[in-house]
Every structure is written in C-alpha cells, then in structure tokens.
Amino acid sequence: MKRYLLCMSALTAIGCGNWSNKDLEFLNALPVSSDLTSKLPGAESSSQGLSSTGGQRRDPLMSGEASRLYADTKKASSDFNGILSSMLSTLEFVRNIPPTRRESDVRVWGPYPDSQHPGFDFQIVVSRVDAENFTWAMQSRKRGDNFFDAANGNFKANTGIRRGQGAFAIHLKEIRAHFPLPGIPTELEEIEVGYITDIFPLRVDMHFVFAQGKPTSLSEIGYVYFEKEDHSGAMHFQVRTSAPEARLVETSSVWATNGAGRASTQIVEGTFKGASEQQCWNEGFNVVWGKQTWLGGMEVGNSADCVVVSGF
Amino acid sequence: MTLNAHQKPGAALRWLLTALLALPAWGASGPVRRFALVVGNDLGGENTRPLLYARDDARKLYDIMVRLGGIQPADAMLLLNESADDVLTALGELERRSRDAQRQGEQTGIFFYYSGHARDGALRLGGSRLALESLKARLAQAPADIRIAIFDACRSGALTRAKGVRRAPAFEVESDATRAAKGLVILTSSAADEDSQESDTIGGSYFSHHLASGLLGDADKSGDGRISLSEAYAYAYERTVADTAESSAGPQHPTFSFDLAGNGDLVLTDVAARREGIALAAAAPAGNWFVVDSKGFIVAEVMKTEGLERRIALPPGTYTVKRRLADKLRVGQINVAEGQITQLDDRSLKDTAFSDDPVKGVGRALLYSKHWSFGLQGTWQAVFDTPTDQGGLFPSSPNVGLEGTWHNFFGRGFSWTIDGMAGTTGGTLNTGALQNLAYRYTLFSVGTGLLVEWPEGSWGPFVGARLGLNLMSRDFEVSTLPRQTFSVLTPGLVGGLKVRLTQNFALSARVRLHYLLYNIDETKNFGFLELATCLSYEFRE
C-alpha cells in the first residue's frame, strides 16, 4: 500500500510500474521449478525414497499388487521435485516484484534482508551476455561485507517461453561457511542442475556432490529426468552409498502417457552386486510382471504385458 | 435641452419622430462617407453576470450596417469582448479617417453601437471601464458631420438624461431638407433606472433585436424602402416596451437625445437599394411573422399591416418563416437567393403544432446555465507504438466508459469534465527470444478536462484539454511471468462535435490526442489517439 501511494505521488511527474518487455527476457533466463520438476502420473506415493533404497526389507513380489518400484519412482520424483522447488523458491520470489536496478544488460533484484538469516542480505543479478545468453547469480552477504555467490547459473534462450538450455549450481559449502543450513546433510556440498527445455524430450540432470572421504550413508546422487511432448517420461537415478551391501544402486523408470510403465533397480556395486528387481505396472499402477533376483529369485506375471515406451 | 423619451413617452416620441425626420440626410443630400464602430462585450467584470447575446447583437448590427447601411467594410470595425482601450483606439482610428475624409471635402458620419454592460456611469468592458460622460464628450467632438451613438446596456438612459447635450435649434419636418446638419444623436436601450433585457427566444436583447428587425425593413413606415433613424427608433421603442411590459424585470423604455443643427432625413438603411430578401405581399395576412435562422433564433420580425407590402432585407440563405395563430402555427421554409426578392406566400406555409415550433425551446440562457450531463461512451484507443508482436510495448484497445460534464462551470461555454473508462484486449508479444507470448491487456483510465463548448444549434463543437491517468496492466498466459502494470498521467487535447438529438439527449463524436511517457526500461515518448462516441443526457431544467 505504501509503495502504491508512493507510486501515485510519483505519477505527478513520471510513470510508475513494472511494464517492461526487457524484464521479461531477463526473467525468462531464470529457471522455474515447474519446468524442471518431473511429472509422473498417479497420486503421491507413501513409499520410502532414495535414502532407504539399499538393504531394506522387501515384501514378496505379487502380481496384481500395487507396484513397489512405481512407488519408489514416484517417491524419488517427489523428493527431487521438492529439492528443486526449494532451491528455486528464492528465484520465484523476484518474479512478482520489479527489479531494483535496471541497466542495459543487467537486472538486479535487491539487496533485500534475508529474513531467515538476520544480518544477511541477498540479491539476484541477471546479466545478458548476448542476445541469447544470460547468466545469473543469487548472492548473499553479511551486511557490510561483499556478496558471495550462493548459487549461479546460465541460460541460453531459444524461441519460446523459457525454452532453451541452462545450468545452475547451489554452492552449499560456500553458504555453510557463512551461516548454518539446518535440515541439509552437512556432507552435501553442491547441487548441480542442467536442463534442456527447447527440444523434446525435455531433460533435467541433477547431481548431488558430497564431501569426499567422510563417513556418510550417501556420497553421490545422480538424477536424470526426461519428458516427451505427450507427457510420457523417464527417470534414471543412481545413489552411491557407504553401505557395503549396495555401494551403487541404479534405478531406471519409464512411463507412458496413461501412467503404465516399467522400472528396474539394480545393485551395481557392493556385496549384493547384481541383485536386481524389475517390474511392469499397468495404468492402475499394479504389477503386471515382476522379477527379482534375490531371495532365490522370483518372477510373476507375463512380461508380454509390459508397456512399451520408446524414445528414451 | 435634452429630451428623454422615457420621461415623456408619448410627447417625446412624437417630438423625436418629427425631429429626426428633419435631420440631415445620411447620404440623402449628397455623398456622406460613413464610418462605423460596433462594440459587443458579454463580460462586465466584477459583480456582473455575463450577458448571453451582447456580442451577437453587435454582430447583427454590424452586418446590417455594412450590408444595408452604406458603410464600406473597410470603414467599419467590429470589436467583440475587447477592452475600453481597444474601443478608444478604434474610435481614434475612425476619427482620423473621418478627419482625412473631411479634408478631402467629403461629408462624414460616424455610427457607434455598443451592446454590453453599463454600470455606475461607465460602460463595463470586461475588466475595463469607459466613462459614459467622457465617451459622450468624445463623440460630441468627433470630426464628423453627424454622429449616431446607440447604447444597448443597462441604465444606459443615464447618457440621455445627463446634462451637457445641446438641443438642436430646429426640428421642423422638412421632407425636402437640404441643409446639412452637424450633431450628435444618442439612442439608448433603457432608461437610467432600468435594466436592458435579453431574450432566449429572440436570441438577443429586446432593443437590439427590434432595432435590427426595423432596420431590415419592418420599420419602413413610409414604405419608401429606406429606414430612417426616426423610423427605426420608433419601431424599436414600441416593440421593446410591448415585449417587456409583462416581463419580471418590468417594462424597458428606450431613450434618445440629440444635439443637432440642420434638417433633412437621416436614413440608416436602404432595403430598396439592396433588393435582396423576402417580401410580404399587400394581400398577405396581417399579424406577426417571424423569420427564423438555422439555429432556431429569430432574425427578424414583421408586423404585417393589412393591405401594405412589407419587405425584409435578408442575406442569402434558407430560413423558416412562422406565423403564430391562436390555435396553431403556420410554418414554412423559404430560400433567399443572392440579389433576389423572394415573395413569401402564406399558402406555402403549413399548419404545425405548437410543439414543433421552429424557434428552439433551448434558449441560450438554458444552454449556458450551469448543469450536469452524464454520458456513456465507447472509445477506441490507438497507441502510437509498434505492434506488440513486433516488439512494441502498448497495444490499442476498445473501451467503454462514463463521462460527467459540468457545463459552464468555469463560465459561459467553459465546462469541466470527469470521465472514466475501461477496456481489454488480447495480444501476443514478441521480444528478444520470447515469441508468441500471449497476454491479456486491461486499461483503466480516468481523467478530467476543461472544455470550451459552442452548444448553440444542432451541432455543437467543443475543444479542450484533458489530464488522464492511465492504469494499464497485462497478464500473461504463462503463469510464471508476472503481471505487469504501468500507471502514468497523460496530458492531452480534446475536440469533437455534439449533435443534439432532443432537448436533453445528445450524441457526440470526440477525438482525444494524448501524450504518453514511458520510463521503465528507458524513456520513450508515445502518444495515443482516442476516437469515441458518447451518448449523453443533460440535466437541464
């Protein structure tokens, strides 16, 4: 309201508002979580996620039962989506307010007080490198100090809304050097994200980098998500852990537009190397075929019932 | 001695008729070069209400004197809403020309007419004043053989009542008078203690209206086609007193005074020589005939006498002629061609109901009263910018809105408007790598303006200035892009034409041209044009 009144006062001499074609181009360079999050058909799963993939107890495979691997895929999708949304929430904040400073090839939002970290300010700087290429940085500082990059990225725009190719990184180690990050494993030092949104299938890569040589249950997580124009998709993630039974576990899932899909998970490194499980599920997310290699091996259903999803 | 027709109406009028008929000819006994200064001023400065018809009366008398009074346009001056200094300057110029003419051996005459305010012994010309006594003295000493001054102003009779005017030594009627006269004649529209009244119906002051009608021919009592000063005065006196007798302000009595030597007839207008206008045959029905112009104002009245032809000199044009009978009107159109007398025949008139009176009911007093009007408008706002699908910022859009106008708020014809409108349109934006960005544009605009209106007649133009506040927003189909807004004051100009549909309803076509400053990314100067139609209702009593 105060800003509005100020604006009205200023109107006596100048215009007021955020009407800018160029601002849109700068905003277009910032990633939007809804563009990068995976869209897996079906309701949210209650299954456990990635951190519990290795060594957990599994119920016997049953045809017609709800697919456990679909649930795992869904849970992983939800987890990664949550991480992405959390990372990009600050960027979302600036979308609804005009830049604080406009220069010919730069837009700056801030500095604003960081409400979660008293005494700190943050700002977002978007720079145009050339007609297509932009870089951006989310910067923080202790009030009075110089800014450091908490996150930064780049984007190469192509024709269309948020169509292009980009990458960004969250520098957790750098942030942690200035203030604590409760709820985030201290070993996690960096999250790197790459994305391609100008051609199908859309692709999002995430890489979680952990501190090397420290005792931890997770040491590296990789994630790749694909999405086709018809909303069929695929997801591949791998988890490197310190558990001796399953040091590297890889899971791949694909699904059709109607939700039917298939997934496989395999222990690539560790005592149980070679152990794997495969499942196909129908559009109701129930197992139509399944095969697991542990506990003496088991196969249920008919593999011919598995959906065929190509193009990934 | 100075005679005052108001003080002794009957005797004085007869005496004046006798005296003026004996005046030297205004052109009758040799060529007289005539000069005219015609002044009209609606404004009287402090403690006066603007008059509605003073300037019109001046225009009317000016036209008549130039067209029928033997005055060359180059020797006539018309001053409208000018100051006292301007009047004196113009009078000085005419005096100079008259003096020069006299040196050339010509006889000269100066005709001075004033319509406007007079108060406290002075003509009130806007914020300036011109003392009556000094003006009279100036006229009395003007270098001309004959000076005729006519004042149509409140309490102008003070001029004829005041001392210092010498009575003419001889006023015998001499129809064959040959002696040139020198002197001053003053006619006033009202007595020293009376107001001069205006009428919406006739579109002028009573006195000037009847004086004009008389000069156009209706005062030609002798039937010789020449209107003498005595005829004109007698006619105007009789009609003015009659028309104002029942008015709320009371009867208004014109006055005269003169200071003359010589004799002869003083002709003011010569309708016979002009031979242009309308003629009522001797057989035409007696009674009052009204000639109405295209604006609905009476330009001439004819008091038709049984068995006498009456000729009215009118400029070329189309007129409506009206006769008022006890139970109906008789109305017809008549066209006056250049250089021709059009015979007016009662048989060409048609019976008409009183409700279809060609004399408009909306008088100027009503037109210029302070009143509100409200209108519904449809507008197309065209922004002078590149289309948004080629990188432009602002689209053009249709709008609807309301408009309120307080007419005559800042004075006669000066109105204050407030308006608001809203509109929306869709479009696509292309900028940089962003292509086909669909958006919905919304505009709210409020504004206030000052208009100058000319509301008379069926078509009323108006112009003015407006200050608008444009509140613009655009919402993108893509939800992740923010709503963008821009608010800015936009000064502009307004012009248009209002067509009166009925007494209260009007339809107007309007154009606004506004400046639009954009200063978000960079400073850019835009403009926009608004084309609008507005249906309005005026709350007039």
Side-chain angles (χ1 to χ4, degrees):
Chain A
M1 185 64 184
K2 185 178 177 183
R3 195 165 69 88
Y4 185 74
L5 290 175
L6 282 172
C7 182
M8 292 299 288
S9 304
L11 274 177
T12 57
I14 56 172
C16 188
N18 64 338
W19 195 285
S20 165
N21 289 353
K22 291 178 181 174
D23 283 0
L24 298 175
E25 296 178 44
F26 283 90
L27 285 173
N28 188 55
L30 297 176
V32 176
S33 62
S34 61
D35 287 348
L36 307 185
T37 51
S38 54
K39 290 96 179 170
L40 194 62
E44 289 299 309
S45 169
S46 60
S47 176
Q48 290 181 316
L50 292 173
S51 59
S52 59
T53 300
Q56 65 182 332
R57 178 179 175 276
R58 294 277 188 169
D59 292 330
L61 189 59
M62 300 282 286
S63 179
E65 293 291 315
S67 169
R68 193 166 56 229
L69 286 188
Y70 165 76
D72 286 347
T73 302
K74 184 72 177 173
K75 182 65 170 68
S77 165
S78 178
D79 287 347
F80 283 118
N81 287 349
I83 293 166
L84 269 173
S85 297
S86 176
M87 286 192 297
L88 299 177
S89 61
T90 305
L91 298 182
E92 303 291 333
F93 165 74
V94 304
R95 291 189 179 280
N96 295 315
I97 53 177
T100 312
R101 196 170 82 235
R102 292 182 175 93
E103 296 170 13
S104 61
D105 289 317
V106 177
R107 293 292 185 274
V108 178
W109 284 263
Y112 305 114
D114 187 340
S115 59
Q116 295 184 336
H117 305 99
F120 280 82
D121 295 326
F122 76 94
Q123 68 176 14
I124 293 166
V125 181
V126 184
S127 304
R128 187 205 308 262
V129 178
D130 55 38
E132 296 177 342
N133 290 284
F134 294 81
T135 62
W136 60 269
M138 188 164 60
Q139 300 176 321
S140 182
R141 73 174 178 191
K142 187 174 184 178
R143 206 157 294 144
D145 291 350
N146 293 327
F147 279 104
F148 67 91
D149 285 0
N152 54 15
N154 59 72
F155 181 73
K156 181 179 182 181
N158 202 338
T159 301
I161 313 303
R162 300 189 308 279
R163 294 289 173 241
Q165 300 180 17
F168 62 90
I170 310 292
H171 309 297
L172 298 172
K173 183 178 179 181
E174 178 71 20
I175 297 170
R176 203 173 282 114
H178 293 85
F179 46 77
L181 293 172
I184 298 178
T186 55
E187 295 80 7
L188 184 57
E189 295 185 333
E190 186 135 318
I191 302 175
E192 298 166 346
V193 180
Y195 54 94
I196 299 172
T197 56
D198 54 351
I199 53 173
F200 284 102
L202 309 181
R203 174 172 176 153
V204 179
D205 290 75
M206 293 178 69
H207 188 213
F208 296 74
V209 179
F210 291 82
Q212 298 298 309
K214 292 187 177 180
T216 176
S217 60
L218 291 170
S219 60
E220 188 177 352
I221 299 174
Y223 161 92
V224 186
Y225 167 73
F226 299 95
E227 180 183 324
K228 288 174 66 177
E229 202 166 7
D230 63 358
H231 301 299
S232 61
M235 185 187 298
H236 176 80
F237 56 91
Q238 59 181 22
V239 180
R240 190 176 293 280
T241 76
S242 58
E245 302 87 354
R247 290 199 176 278
L248 178 61
V249 179
E250 291 185 351
T251 300
S252 295
S253 304
V254 294
W255 57 88
T257 307
N258 65 359
R262 59 193 299 166
S264 68
T265 182
Q266 181 178 8
I267 297 173
V268 179
E269 294 178 16
T271 310
F272 297 151
K273 179 181 177 181
S276 68
E277 181 176 9
Q278 299 174 69
Q279 284 185 6
C280 294
W281 60 85
N282 59 17
E283 57 194 60
F285 312 113
N286 295 319
V287 174
V288 295
W289 174 78
K291 182 179 180 182
Q292 65 183 43
T293 60
W294 61 79
L295 299 175
M298 180 183 292
E299 183 171 359
V300 297
N302 185 351
S303 64
D305 293 334
C306 290
V307 67
V308 176
V309 183
S310 59
F312 297 106
Chain B
M1 186 183 93
T2 300
L3 289 183
N4 186 319
H6 174 50
Q7 292 167 331
K8 303 173 183 178
L13 185 54
R14 285 193 298 277
W15 188 78
L16 175 77
L17 291 172
T18 303
L20 291 181
L21 284 171
L23 289 176
W26 176 281
S29 59
V32 175
R33 184 166 173 192
R34 304 174 177 191
F35 299 90
L37 175 56
V38 180
V39 180
N41 199 316
D42 289 326
L43 307 174
E46 289 183 349
N47 302 319
T48 63
R49 292 174 59 181
L51 295 169
L52 298 175
Y53 302 104
R55 285 183 296 168
D56 289 347
D57 287 339
R59 283 193 198 95
K60 195 183 300 180
L61 265 294
Y62 175 88
D63 290 341
I64 290 172
M65 294 310 293
V66 169
R67 195 161 53 87
L68 305 170
I71 301 173
Q72 296 300 315
D75 290 335
M77 292 185 180
L78 174 64
L79 301 184
L80 301 176
N81 279 6
E82 302 288 354
S83 68
D85 286 345
D86 295 328
V87 172
L88 292 176
T89 301
L91 182 58
E93 171 62 18
L94 291 187
E95 288 172 340
R96 184 189 64 76
R97 292 189 203 175
S98 178
R99 190 178 297 112
D100 291 346
Q102 285 183 322
R103 285 174 185 155
Q104 301 290 325
E106 294 181 273
Q107 291 186 60
T108 62
I110 291 179
F111 176 85
F112 179 88
Y113 170 87
Y114 171 81
S115 180
H117 276 285
R119 190 170 179 175
D120 302 330
L123 303 183
R124 305 280 289 267
L125 297 115
S128 63
R129 300 184 181 201
L130 182 55
L132 286 169
E133 282 304 318
S134 66
L135 177 60
K136 187 165 68 177
R138 175 84 173 259
L139 290 169
Q141 295 168 9
D145 298 293
I146 185 73
R147 285 87 65 196
I148 300 171
I150 300 175
F151 294 88
D152 187 351
C154 293
R155 295 169 173 76
S156 51
L159 264 170
T160 53
R161 192 179 62 181
K163 295 179 181 178
V165 179
R166 186 170 62 85
R167 194 181 69 177
F171 287 95
E172 291 81 12
V173 177
E174 297 180 19
S175 57
D176 295 326
T178 54
R179 279 190 298 148
K182 298 181 187 299
L184 171 67
V185 178
I186 297 176
L187 305 186
T188 72
S189 62
S190 58
D193 56 352
E194 292 174 348
D195 288 334
S196 289
Q197 302 170 47
E198 292 184 322
S199 165
D200 272 340
T201 304
I202 59 178
S205 79
Y206 285 104
F207 175 74
S208 287
H209 168 72
H210 291 305
L211 181 63
S213 287
L215 293 174
L216 287 172
D218 202 32
D220 184 19
K221 198 167 187 177
S222 64
D224 62 355
R226 304 200 304 170
I227 315 302
S228 68
L229 179 60
S230 61
E231 287 176 321
Y233 176 78
Y235 179 89
Y237 179 91
E238 180 185 340
R239 301 302 306 275
T240 301
V241 172
D243 277 3
T244 58
E246 302 301 324
S247 70
S248 58
Q252 173 185 332
H253 299 84
T255 74
F256 70 89
S257 76
F258 47 86
D259 175 16
L260 293 167
N263 54 21
D265 200 4
L266 185 60
V267 175
L268 282 184
T269 57
D270 190 340
V271 298
R274 183 73 183 184
R275 290 197 54 78
E276 186 177 78
I278 61 174
L280 278 167
N288 282 13
W289 295 62
F290 299 89
V291 183
V292 183
D293 67 9
S294 60
K295 292 182 178 179
F297 290 115
I298 300 171
V299 292
E301 286 187 44
V302 182
M303 293 174 63
K304 175 70 175 64
T305 306
E306 192 74 48
L308 284 179
E309 186 193 53
R310 182 63 77 220
R311 185 170 295 185
I312 302 298
L314 292 172
T318 301
Y319 299 90
T320 301
V321 176
K322 179 185 85 170
R323 286 183 62 213
R324 188 180 185 90
L325 305 182
D327 58 342
K328 63 190 174 188
L329 299 176
R330 298 273 294 159
V331 175
Q333 295 278 327
I334 189 166
N335 187 57
V336 175
E338 188 171 353
Q340 292 185 11
I341 297 291
T342 303
Q343 204 69 31
L344 182 56
D345 189 343
D346 180 64
R347 289 171 296 183
S348 65
L349 306 186
K350 294 179 180 176
D351 290 347
T352 306
F354 286 119
S355 57
D356 295 328
D357 194 330
V359 179
K360 299 297 182 189
V362 182
R364 197 173 285 180
L366 205 54
L367 288 174
Y368 290 118
S369 65
K370 287 185 178 178
H371 63 276
W372 278 97
S373 71
F374 288 96
L376 179 66
Q377 59 177 339
T379 302
W380 174 256
Q381 186 186 81
V383 183
F384 303 136
D385 187 15
T386 307
T388 57
D389 59 6
Q390 296 174 28
L393 281 165
F394 301 107
S396 301
S397 68
N399 300 274
V400 294
L402 297 172
E403 181 176 274
T405 303
W406 196 351
H407 299 276
N408 309 304
F409 180 70
F410 291 111
R412 175 180 163 182
F414 290 88
S415 300
W416 174 46
T417 67
I418 52 174
D419 62 82
M421 65 178 187
T424 183
T425 188
T428 56
L429 171 68
N430 292 332
T431 177
L434 283 172
Q435 297 291 307
N436 299 318
L437 190 56
Y439 64 85
R440 169 60 51 183
Y441 169 79
T442 305
L443 168 70
F444 290 98
S445 175
V446 293
T448 183
L450 177 65
L451 296 181
V452 182
E453 298 181 292
W454 291 271
E456 296 168 34
S458 299
W459 299 78
F462 57 88
V463 296
R466 176 179 179 268
L467 182 63
L469 172 62
N470 277 17
L471 306 168
M472 295 172 277
S473 67
R474 58 179 177 183
D475 295 281
F476 297 98
E477 202 171 78
V478 179
S479 61
T480 50
L481 289 179
R483 181 174 208 239
Q484 291 195 327
T485 61
F486 186 60
S487 310
V488 68
L489 287 172
T490 60
L493 300 173
V494 185
L497 193 63
K498 180 186 285 187
V499 184
R500 191 167 300 287
L501 302 176
T502 67
Q503 180 166 326
N504 294 97
F505 279 104
L507 187 66
S508 58
R510 188 192 60 220
V511 177
R512 289 178 183 154
L513 182 62
H514 275 257
Y515 169 71
L516 173 63
L517 169 71
Y518 173 76
N519 63 343
I520 301 297
D521 274 332
E522 55 193 320
T523 299
K524 283 187 172 182
N525 299 300
F526 294 107
F528 61 84
L529 187 72
E530 287 181 359
L531 304 173
T533 58
C534 182
L535 179 66
S536 58
Y537 182 87
E538 296 192 29
F539 293 89
R540 288 188 297 217
E541 294 176 357

